[in-house]
Amino acid sequence: MLGGKAFHLQGEFLSRCVSRYRPFNKPEVVAVMADTLHKMSSKHLREKLSSWEAKLGSKAPLSDKQRDGCMELTSQSGARPLPIELPLEDFPTIAPQCITPSTSDDRSTRSILGLSLGAEKIETTQQFFAWFSEIEDKMESEEQTESRCFIKQLQVYQEQCTQVQQEVSNALHHLRELQGQYVFVSTKTNALHEACEHLLAEQTKLVNTAESIENKLSYFNELERISSKLGSPTLTVTNEAFVPMLSRLDECIAYLHANPQYKESQVYLARFKQCLSKALNLIKTHAVNILQNSTQQVLPKKDAPSPGDNAFTLFYGKFRTNAPRVKALMEQIEERIDKSPEYSQILTDCHQCYFLQRETLLGPSVTAAIADLASKHVRDHCALVRSGCAFMVHVCEDEYQLFFNFFSKPTSLLDNMLEGMCIQLYDVFRPLIIHINHLETLAELCSILKVEMMEEHVQHSPKELAAFEAVCSQMLEDVQERLVYRTHIYIRSEILGYNPAPGDLAYPEKLEMMESIAESIKQTKIQSRSRSGSNASTTSQEVASITGTAEDSIAPEDAPRENGLKPLTVRTDLPVPAPTIGSNMPMSPADLHGMWYPTVRRTLVCLSKLFRCIDKTTFQGLSQEALSMCIQSLLVASEGIKKRKTEVDAQLFLIKHLLILREQIAPFQVDFAVRETGVDFSSIKGAAYGLFQHKSRLFALNTTNALLQFLLEGTPQVTEHFVDSKKDVDNQLKKVCEEFIGHLSDSIVGSMQSFLSKADVILKMNTEEGAHKVSLRQQPFASPEKVHDIVTETYRHVKAKVPTTQKSMSLYLANKDTEYILFKPIKVNIQQSFQHLIKLISDNYSEEDVHIIGCPSVEQLNLLLTKPGS
């Protein structure tokens, strides 16, 4: 019983340990518990176990479920099978139960059966605890096998790391020792290197100092060597060693200039300069001797004949032969001219000597040549200027080339010498200019100087002819000044003051005569070719040459119109006279240069001459004045023709020449507007009157002071206004055309327009309110018979004057388009007058009166106006 009870308690204890203290199922905890159970006595153990289920202060209270488990375990423990290790022969009665355990055993029973008891028998609690402790130890050892192996491996690694760490520490110790030794050796080596470098630097410094002293002394030591060379009697400037010696001399002087702090540097500098002066004097002497010898060889002897055609060989051949002997030395001096003033001085001396010899040689020859030209062309100033300028151009070019055979850099002395030679021509030509009165001569002189000399020669060789350009410009300015002066006189005397001869005003007889001549030529000769540009007038060709071609002076048939009037054109429908007749006149009388009024011809010729000779501003002023005077002369001539012939001839004469002026000034392509400045003194009169009116306020000390007001209000005003001669021509042309149209309209339909004006007054009175109605046909001036007389007279005028007018327009204008444009307003006026009359008759006269009046219809009138030949 005791054994069974103990076994029952042992199983209960095991179940509680397994179920309640499973979290503490660790080897250490189990071992502690086993050791504790082993030490306890049975009584003490029972007391402890009883305290587990005490009602008060229970140490291990069980839940209801746990209590049920314990009860079930207790009930089963009575039929618990024997351990497998138990020999069956000792318990024969229970063998079947051991062999076939009950199938109702729970999990705890199977666990206990799985425990191996071996040969040991558990009879007491102490044995159980011992067995239980052993089992726990085995279980613990089995569970911690991997951890123990891992711990052992870690321990091995730890030992290895400790060993490696020890070896690293030893290596670092050895490296620190090695580093210390290296630092020691490096310090010693660097000290040795620094010592060596210091010694080398000292050595280099001493060597450089020695070389520097030697170099500096070399400049001082050169003095003796150079002095000995310059003192040698065998030394010449053509020697090969002379130029290097001169270069070394320059180096020494420059060095001493740059280092004045050296001892006795000023003394050596002075001695070097003496040597330089001596060397430069040798060069100067050499060059002067060569130039003087060349001049002496070329100068003509007293009894020798004139050199004539061999002058070029004599004057330039010898000099060019000797030039290489001088130029090499002059180039050395010119290269060093910036180094020392001695070089500049010696070069100036050589220049002066050269130009002195050239003036000595050329001066008399140039003077004689100019005098010979002046005596040869006494009356031909243009030939004198052309030949004289050509001669000076050659002299300047030859002298320029010869100068650069001796020298390589230009100098102002060359231009001064050449300008002095050119002034000789100016001195001869200047007195002749101021006595020339002919505009053609002055214009040709301007053309020669400006075009032939300045543009053709000077522009192609500006450097060689710089001196000639200055003198030529001065001559050109003098000629232009004389030309402008003479042009003013010419405009006043020959254009404005022109007194026309009877033949100048013989219009239209002159045109009719030229037309009859053209008709006779047409009848005798067959037209072989159209009129060419050579048939144009001389003035037209001169004007056209300004714009490029002579043909441009003849306006084509489709040329644009200006101000509604087409410029005059040369008719090409007339035959050209054969060359055997010797006539070069145009086929249209209106375009004949000889048929132009003299002042128009003179104005255009004058402008064509001036255009190329003077500047644009001056030309604009002169052209404005010339055109203004020409218009005035045309107005005077028109008045003369009006007195001699008819007003129509005078107006057509004026229209013809104004068209010519407008056509011929168009190619000049300049602005004919001139700004004129004047002073307006009109305010002075009013200011002076106010001053006398307020004498009492002369000394008033306020703003009403009369003297102050006089000064402020009486100041003359400067006024500016533009005068456009081209617009004056257009305005005058427009005015004359309007007068011509009005005059012809009045002469043809004047009586009809007078009647219409009176009739309009009567009809207007009838339309007024309260006025007495008056019948137009009952008026004395408006009776059918009177109206018939007016219509008959007007129609007769149309038949008589329209063809005559058209013939006169064709004779004067000689251009169908211009004639059509000018006649169209006259035709319109006639048509409108007749239309007005027809309407008035139809509204105020009966059919019987209409038949009495006999007014032609509009179609009859148009047929009459457009009738060929009318």
Side-chain angles (χ1 to χ4, degrees):
M1 289 296 290
L2 180 61
K5 182 69 172 176
F7 187 79
H8 174 74
L9 294 173
Q10 183 179 359
E12 183 181 359
F13 172 77
L14 181 59
S15 300
R16 289 187 178 185
C17 289
V18 172
S19 63
R20 189 170 186 86
Y21 295 99
R22 189 175 297 278
F24 301 98
N25 190 13
K26 294 184 178 180
E28 296 85 354
V29 177
V30 174
V32 172
M33 293 176 63
D35 186 50
T36 303
L37 291 174
H38 181 72
K39 291 180 180 179
M40 291 182 178
S41 62
S42 298
K43 183 181 181 180
H44 185 68
L45 181 60
R46 288 191 298 270
E47 292 177 355
K48 291 292 185 181
L49 290 174
S50 62
S51 64
W52 284 8
E53 295 181 358
K55 294 181 179 180
L56 296 174
S58 177
K59 295 182 184 274
L62 298 176
S63 62
D64 294 340
K65 187 177 181 181
Q66 290 173 343
R67 289 178 184 278
D68 293 340
C70 290
M71 292 302 292
E72 183 180 357
L73 182 61
T74 302
S75 64
Q76 293 294 331
S77 64
R80 179 173 63 85
L82 292 176
I84 300 173
E85 293 84 359
L86 186 64
L88 295 178
E89 60 271 11
D90 292 339
F91 300 94
T93 58
I94 60 175
Q97 295 179 356
C98 289
I99 295 171
T100 57
S102 176
T103 57
S104 62
D105 292 343
D106 57 6
R107 183 174 55 185
S108 299
T109 304
R110 289 194 297 269
S111 298
I112 293 172
L113 289 177
L115 296 174
S116 178
L117 294 176
E120 184 178 358
K121 295 181 179 181
I122 300 174
E123 296 178 353
T124 62
T125 304
Q126 186 66 30
Q127 290 177 348
F128 171 76
F129 282 125
W131 172 79
F132 184 76
S133 176
E134 184 180 354
I135 294 302
E136 286 184 344
D137 290 340
K138 289 181 180 180
M139 293 173 62
E140 180 181 359
S141 62
E142 290 177 359
E143 291 178 356
Q144 296 181 354
T145 300
E146 293 182 2
S147 300
R148 292 178 188 277
C149 292
F150 183 71
I151 290 172
K152 289 180 181 181
Q153 190 176 0
L154 289 178
Q155 289 174 352
V156 172
Y157 289 161
Q158 184 178 10
E159 291 176 359
Q160 291 177 359
C161 291
T162 303
Q163 185 179 0
V164 171
Q165 184 179 7
Q166 184 65 31
E167 291 178 358
V168 171
S169 299
N170 294 336
L172 291 175
H173 177 69
H174 291 305
L175 287 175
R176 282 193 293 271
E177 290 180 356
L178 184 61
Q179 183 180 9
Q181 294 174 2
Y182 172 76
V183 170
F184 176 76
V185 174
S186 178
T187 304
K188 293 295 185 180
T189 304
N190 291 338
L192 179 61
H193 286 173
E194 289 178 358
C196 293
E197 290 176 357
H198 180 69
L199 292 175
L200 289 175
E202 290 292 333
Q203 181 183 2
T204 304
K205 182 178 180 181
L206 292 175
V207 172
N208 292 336
T209 303
E211 291 179 356
S212 176
I213 293 173
E214 184 179 358
N215 291 335
K216 294 175 182 178
L217 287 176
S218 64
Y219 294 102
F220 293 89
N221 296 333
E222 287 290 340
L223 178 63
E224 183 178 356
R225 186 178 68 85
I226 292 175
S227 299
S228 61
K229 282 188 177 181
L230 291 175
S232 175
T234 59
L235 178 67
T236 60
V237 295
T238 57
N239 195 329
E240 295 181 355
F242 184 81
V243 174
M245 180 192 69
L246 198 62
S247 301
R248 186 59 180 170
L249 197 57
D250 292 335
E251 294 176 0
C252 295
I253 293 175
Y255 182 79
L256 293 177
H257 270 299
N259 299 278
Q261 71 276 11
Y262 294 156
K263 186 178 180 180
E264 297 184 357
S265 61
Q266 298 299 323
V267 177
Y268 276 86
L269 181 60
R271 296 180 66 184
F272 274 123
K273 287 187 175 181
Q274 290 177 359
C275 294
L276 179 62
S277 299
K278 189 173 182 180
L280 295 179
N281 285 329
L282 291 176
I283 296 175
K284 177 182 176 181
T285 303
H286 176 74
V288 169
N289 290 336
I290 290 177
L291 292 173
Q292 289 179 350
N293 291 335
S294 300
T295 304
Q296 293 300 324
Q297 293 175 5
V298 175
L299 280 176
K301 306 300 181 182
K302 293 183 178 180
D303 299 334
S306 175
D309 296 336
N310 297 326
F312 177 82
T313 304
L314 293 175
F315 291 165
Y316 295 96
K318 288 293 183 181
F319 276 82
R320 290 183 177 177
T321 302
N322 296 324
R325 299 166 58 189
V326 178
K327 186 173 184 179
L329 297 173
M330 293 299 105
E331 287 178 347
Q332 296 296 328
I333 295 176
E334 289 171 344
E335 291 176 358
R336 296 172 171 81
I337 194 170
D338 297 330
K339 296 182 179 180
S340 176
E342 286 81 0
Y343 286 105
S344 178
Q345 182 61 40
I346 199 68
L347 182 62
T348 301
D349 294 342
C350 293
H351 282 164
Q352 291 177 350
C353 178
Y354 171 81
F355 292 125
L356 178 62
Q357 299 303 318
R358 295 305 299 171
E359 288 178 355
T360 302
L361 185 62
L362 289 179
S365 299
V366 171
T367 303
I370 294 175
D372 182 55
L373 291 174
S375 60
K376 184 178 180 180
H377 304 285
V378 177
R379 299 185 179 277
D380 192 352
H381 300 93
C382 297
L384 172 61
V385 172
R386 184 178 284 108
S387 57
C389 289
F391 171 73
M392 292 310 305
V393 165
H394 289 301
V395 170
C396 292
E397 290 178 346
D398 293 340
E399 285 299 315
Y400 188 85
Q401 295 175 0
L402 182 63
F403 174 81
F404 282 96
N405 287 332
F406 285 87
F407 306 93
S408 59
K409 291 185 178 180
T411 177
S412 59
L413 296 176
L414 174 62
D415 293 334
N416 294 337
M417 184 198 75
L418 295 178
E419 189 172 349
M421 293 182 180
C422 294
I423 287 177
Q424 298 183 26
L425 176 64
Y426 177 78
D427 293 338
V428 173
F429 186 55
R430 168 65 179 170
L432 301 177
I433 295 176
I434 60 178
H435 292 91
I436 298 175
N437 295 328
H438 297 289
L439 295 182
E440 292 79 2
T441 303
L442 292 171
E444 187 175 356
L445 290 176
C446 285
S447 178
I448 293 171
L449 294 173
K450 186 177 181 180
V451 179
E452 297 182 15
M453 300 304 162
M454 299 293 288
E455 295 180 2
E456 295 181 3
H457 289 88
V458 175
Q459 289 185 2
H460 288 83
S461 304
K463 295 181 179 179
E464 293 88 339
L465 301 179
F468 174 76
E469 181 183 8
V471 177
C472 186
S473 299
Q474 185 62 42
M475 288 193 294
L476 179 60
E477 291 176 0
D478 293 343
V479 174
Q480 289 176 340
E481 182 180 359
R482 180 66 179 177
L483 177 61
V484 171
Y485 171 72
R486 291 302 306 173
T487 301
H488 279 291
I489 297 178
Y490 181 82
I491 292 173
R492 295 286 178 178
S493 60
E494 301 298 329
I495 297 178
L496 180 63
Y498 177 73
N499 187 16
D504 297 331
L505 303 179
Y507 285 90
E509 291 84 354
K510 294 171 64 175
L511 301 178
E512 292 172 351
M513 177 187 65
M514 297 305 300
E515 189 172 26
S516 63
I517 294 175
E519 289 294 333
S520 63
I521 294 174
K522 182 179 179 180
Q523 294 174 2
T524 57
K525 299 295 179 180
I526 300 174
Q527 182 177 358
S528 60
R529 55 187 175 89
S530 299
R531 179 177 176 270
S532 63
S534 60
N535 301 118
S537 64
T538 305
T539 303
S540 298
Q541 292 180 358
E542 291 174 351
V543 175
S545 63
I546 297 172
T547 57
T549 58
E551 289 81 357
D552 293 341
S553 63
I554 303 176
E557 288 295 326
D558 56 349
R561 297 181 177 89
E562 297 181 8
N563 296 330
L565 294 175
K566 186 175 179 179
L568 285 174
T569 57
V570 178
R571 295 177 61 183
T572 58
D573 56 343
L574 296 179
V576 178
T580 55
I581 300 178
S583 174
N584 195 30
M585 62 181 179
M587 293 302 99
S588 174
D591 270 343
L592 283 176
H593 183 204
M595 293 297 101
W596 294 356
Y597 190 65
T599 58
V600 173
R601 184 171 62 251
R602 293 175 183 178
T603 300
L604 295 176
V605 170
C606 179
L607 293 180
S608 64
K609 297 292 185 182
L610 292 176
F611 184 74
R612 294 178 182 269
C613 299
I614 58 179
D615 59 277
K616 184 177 179 180
T617 305
T618 307
F619 176 78
Q620 289 176 353
L622 288 175
S623 62
Q624 189 276 329
E625 183 179 1
L627 290 175
S628 178
M629 300 302 176
C630 181
I631 292 174
Q632 294 184 29
S633 67
L634 289 176
L635 293 175
V636 174
S638 177
E639 292 295 328
I641 295 174
K642 182 179 178 181
K643 294 177 181 179
R644 181 178 174 275
K645 280 292 185 180
T646 64
E647 187 174 356
V648 172
D649 290 317
Q651 291 170 342
L652 287 175
F653 166 83
L654 196 55
I655 292 172
K656 164 189 168 62
H657 288 91
L658 289 175
L659 285 172
I660 292 172
L661 281 179
R662 192 182 66 171
E663 173 195 4
Q664 298 298 329
I665 65 176
F668 288 109
Q669 297 179 353
V670 296
D671 188 7
F672 288 91
V674 178
R675 183 176 63 181
E676 294 184 353
T677 304
V679 181
D680 184 10
F681 294 95
S682 60
S683 59
I684 296 179
K685 181 178 179 181
Y689 180 77
L691 178 64
F692 285 106
Q693 291 292 327
H694 305 90
K695 292 181 179 180
S696 59
R697 291 185 296 179
L698 286 175
F699 303 100
L701 301 177
N702 51 33
T703 57
T704 60
N705 185 284
L707 186 59
L708 180 62
Q709 290 181 352
F710 172 76
L711 295 175
L712 295 176
E713 298 175 0
T715 304
Q717 302 295 324
V718 178
T719 59
E720 292 184 355
H721 62 280
F722 286 87
V723 178
D724 192 342
S725 54
K726 190 174 183 180
K727 288 185 178 180
D728 291 343
V729 173
D730 293 337
N731 293 335
Q732 188 65 37
L733 179 60
K734 181 179 179 181
K735 178 183 176 182
V736 176
C737 290
E738 291 175 352
E739 292 177 353
F740 174 75
I741 294 169
H743 172 71
L744 278 179
S745 298
D746 292 341
S747 63
I748 295 174
V749 294
S751 59
M752 182 181 293
Q753 289 178 348
S754 177
F755 165 75
L756 292 174
S757 299
K758 295 177 182 180
D760 288 339
V761 173
I762 299 298
L763 295 177
K764 185 178 180 181
M765 291 174 59
N766 291 335
T767 59
E768 294 179 357
E769 295 182 0
H772 179 66
K773 301 297 181 179
V774 179
S775 177
L776 177 62
R777 64 184 302 279
Q778 295 177 358
Q779 299 298 319
F781 69 90
S783 63
E785 292 77 9
K786 291 287 185 181
V787 176
H788 172 73
D789 295 339
I790 293 173
V791 169
T792 304
E793 180 185 3
T794 303
Y795 191 75
R796 186 172 60 253
H797 287 167
V798 170
K799 292 182 65 176
K801 292 185 177 182
V802 167
T804 305
T805 301
Q806 290 180 337
K807 183 178 179 181
S808 298
M809 291 172 62
S810 176
L811 185 64
Y812 278 93
L813 303 180
N815 184 270
K816 295 297 182 182
D817 291 339
T818 306
E819 297 169 16
Y820 172 77
I821 293 171
L822 192 58
F823 181 72
K824 185 177 180 180
I826 303 172
K827 180 179 177 182
V828 170
N829 290 338
I830 296 173
Q831 291 173 340
Q832 289 178 351
S833 298
F834 272 93
Q835 289 174 359
H836 190 186
L837 179 63
I838 292 172
K839 185 176 182 303
L840 187 144
I841 293 173
S842 63
D843 294 340
N844 297 276
Y845 290 87
S846 62
E847 289 186 9
E848 184 181 356
D849 295 336
V850 171
H851 288 294
I852 294 173
I853 295 172
C855 181
S857 64
V858 176
E859 290 75 10
Q860 293 175 341
L861 182 65
N862 290 335
L863 182 63
L864 179 62
L865 292 175
T866 58
K867 185 178 178 181
S870 60

